[in-house]
Structures are given as C-alpha cells and as structure tokens.
Amino acid sequence: MDRVERGHGHAGPPVREKPGEVSLTLLDVTRGLTSRGGRISFRWHVRRSRVEQAKAEAATEPQPPSGVPAARRSPRRHSVRGQILDALRDALVGGELTPGEVYSAPALAERFGVSPTPVREAMQQLAGEGAVEVVPNRGFRVARRSARELAELAEVRALLEVPVMLGLAQAIAPERWALLRPFAAATAVAAAKGDRAAYLEADRTFHQSVLSLSGNQQLVIVADELHRRAQWPRAGGRPVRTADLLADAAEHTALLDALAARDLGTVEALVRAHFGGA
C-alpha cells in the first residue's frame, strides 16, 4: 500500500518519519469527509500509528470500576472495512454526508485509496442500520430522518429503558452510582470540544454503562442499536451547537444524582426528556 507521502490527493510536503516512529500508511490516516455539490473531498490528517493510538485511548478512556459491568462498545477497528465503517459513521453523525444525497462505493473508495469492496461492505452494514438506502446501479442514498421518525425512536427507547432505570434506582446501592461519574465526565469533555462524533460515542458508552448494571446483555445490545439510529442527523435540521452538547451532557450528571437519590419521578422525567433531545 502506498505511503501517505506518495499522493492520493495529499497536498503539501511529504510526511517525514522521525527516529523511533512507526511508518504511516493510508490506514493510519483520519479521513474527513465534506460534501460539496454532491461530490466528496477528503481532509487528510496524519495520525499516530494504530498501536500508539490504541495505547493512548486505553490510557485516557474511562474504565469500568470494580463491580461495574463493562459497557458494550463498538471498538475502533484495525481492518480496512472496519476503519472505513468508522469513518463513514463519523461523517454521518457529523452531517458531512448529506441526507438525500447518493454516494457511490467506487467514488468513495477512490478517495479512501482502497478498493470498492470494503466500502461497499461498510455501506451495506449502514443500510442494515437504517443510515443509508441502497440505490440499484447508483450507490447508497443517505437516509432522510424525519422529526416523526426521531419521535418514534424516542418513544420506543423510553418504553424500553424507563422501567429499567426505575428498577435500577431501587436496586442499586446509591454509592455505586459514583462509579459511573467518569463516563458522564467523558461526555462533558467531548461536548466542550464541540466534537459531535466523539460526543455521540461517549454518550452511547455512558448509556451502555448504566444499562449494563441490569445484567441483561441483550437489553444493552437492543438499546444501543436504537440509540445509534436516533443519532443519525435529521434532514433539514439545524446544526448541533456546542451548547446543545453541553446541555445534553449535563443531563447525564443530573440522572446519576437522581438515581443515587432514588428519586423515581426525576429519573423518569430526565430519561424521557433526554431521549426527546437525543
């Protein structure tokens, strides 16, 4: 595979290796997508090697304390298909892939510097998640998420999670909720940076961590799938501001306070309001 310094639309001087650094390939590059007139241009930013990146993330990411089940997360993958899938998801939640626009796998593959196969496989998975629709002989259209669809998702999530949250408030010792505060804090950090993709990942991790206390792994899986679907941007919706993310993150801390206080009325109100704004 070509190195970054050999092209693929990379403008500027070659990336020079420093002593002790791992050589970087196209797979060690963060792909940014920007929709311009139906075409895609890519902002390439050199990252640390995958090994170093994984070490850094493991050192800084909140870890479940003793006694708290590990949340089910979607790991950042090392395979070509997995990295393409992660990059496309980031572009979708960031609004960089426009709802209603059609994108072809070969065109995306050319920009990524890979064959169309892993792009097509990643898009097929996104189609299964409802994020895109297959357009025969053309490619994939980014799904238009209406206000009604988002409201329906919020209703289903509330039907599933509110009873669980109320049960946990009564069953879990109040002091144990303090163990989940690092996950709430991680959402606040991502929100303060205005990084919507990072925030939505931290948001899902927080909710997974709470629901994991139920001991029902199938519940965590189903709830996470609904959560992911609710995160796709709505067609014509206003851009999400940093203030919106900060307000959403603050609700996590408020929810933990209510759970610890076993204030069932506040727990239910917070969960329903949080889903309505998700």
Side-chain angles (χ1 to χ4, degrees):
M1 180 174 287
D2 294 340
R3 295 179 184 275
V4 172
E5 55 264 37
R6 286 176 57 184
H8 289 282
H10 176 72
V15 177
R16 304 297 183 186
E17 295 177 23
K18 297 178 181 180
E21 285 190 339
V22 179
S23 298
L24 298 175
T25 68
L26 288 178
L27 293 184
D28 298 307
V29 174
T30 297
R31 286 84 169 183
L33 296 152
T34 305
S35 178
R36 296 178 179 174
R39 299 185 62 188
I40 308 274
S41 63
F42 285 73
R43 302 187 301 273
W44 299 84
H45 304 284
V46 176
R47 298 175 63 188
R48 286 170 291 179
S49 70
R50 291 193 298 275
V51 173
E52 293 302 316
Q53 183 74 6
K55 288 180 180 178
E57 291 176 353
T60 59
E61 185 176 81
Q63 299 297 316
S66 177
V68 177
R72 177 181 177 272
R73 300 184 65 253
S74 297
R76 307 304 280 188
R77 303 163 181 82
H78 299 328
S79 69
V80 176
R81 173 186 169 279
Q83 290 191 59
I84 297 296
L85 179 60
D86 287 335
L88 289 172
R89 279 177 171 160
D90 288 348
L92 282 164
V93 299
E96 296 164 348
L97 290 177
T98 307
E101 290 290 329
V102 177
Y103 301 92
S104 72
L108 289 172
E110 182 179 357
R111 296 291 187 172
F112 277 119
V114 298
S115 71
T117 299
V119 176
R120 191 172 290 111
E121 290 174 347
M123 295 297 272
Q124 289 285 359
Q125 180 163 338
L126 290 173
E129 296 174 3
V132 299
E133 304 163 352
V134 177
V135 181
N137 302 319
R138 292 186 61 194
F140 301 86
R141 177 184 291 111
V142 178
R144 295 181 181 273
R145 188 74 75 209
S146 68
R148 177 174 179 175
E149 287 177 295
L150 291 176
E152 290 174 347
L153 281 169
E155 181 180 0
V156 174
R157 292 182 67 197
L159 288 170
L160 181 66
E161 296 191 37
V162 166
V164 176
M165 294 283 191
L166 295 177
L168 291 174
Q170 299 174 80
I172 301 298
E175 60 272 14
R176 289 191 67 190
W177 294 111
L179 301 177
L180 297 187
R181 293 194 182 275
F183 295 100
T187 67
V189 170
K193 295 178 180 178
D195 187 338
R196 186 168 188 265
Y199 176 78
L200 294 180
E201 181 73 14
D203 180 42
R204 287 177 46 237
T205 300
F206 170 79
H207 285 270
Q208 291 166 14
S209 299
V210 174
L211 294 176
S212 291
L213 292 175
S214 70
N216 188 330
Q217 187 64 16
Q218 295 306 309
L219 166 71
V220 177
I221 293 172
V222 172
D224 185 57
E225 174 63 21
L226 291 170
H227 195 167
R228 186 190 293 280
R229 287 174 178 266
Q231 289 179 339
W232 304 132
R234 179 163 64 92
R238 68 175 176 80
V240 177
R241 303 168 299 177
T242 299
D244 299 324
L245 299 180
L246 288 170
D248 198 71
E251 293 177 356
H252 295 147
T253 300
L255 176 61
L256 291 178
D257 290 341
L259 287 166
R262 292 181 169 170
D263 184 344
L264 302 187
T266 300
V267 168
E268 180 171 356
L270 283 171
V271 173
R272 292 187 183 279
H274 190 67
F275 289 169

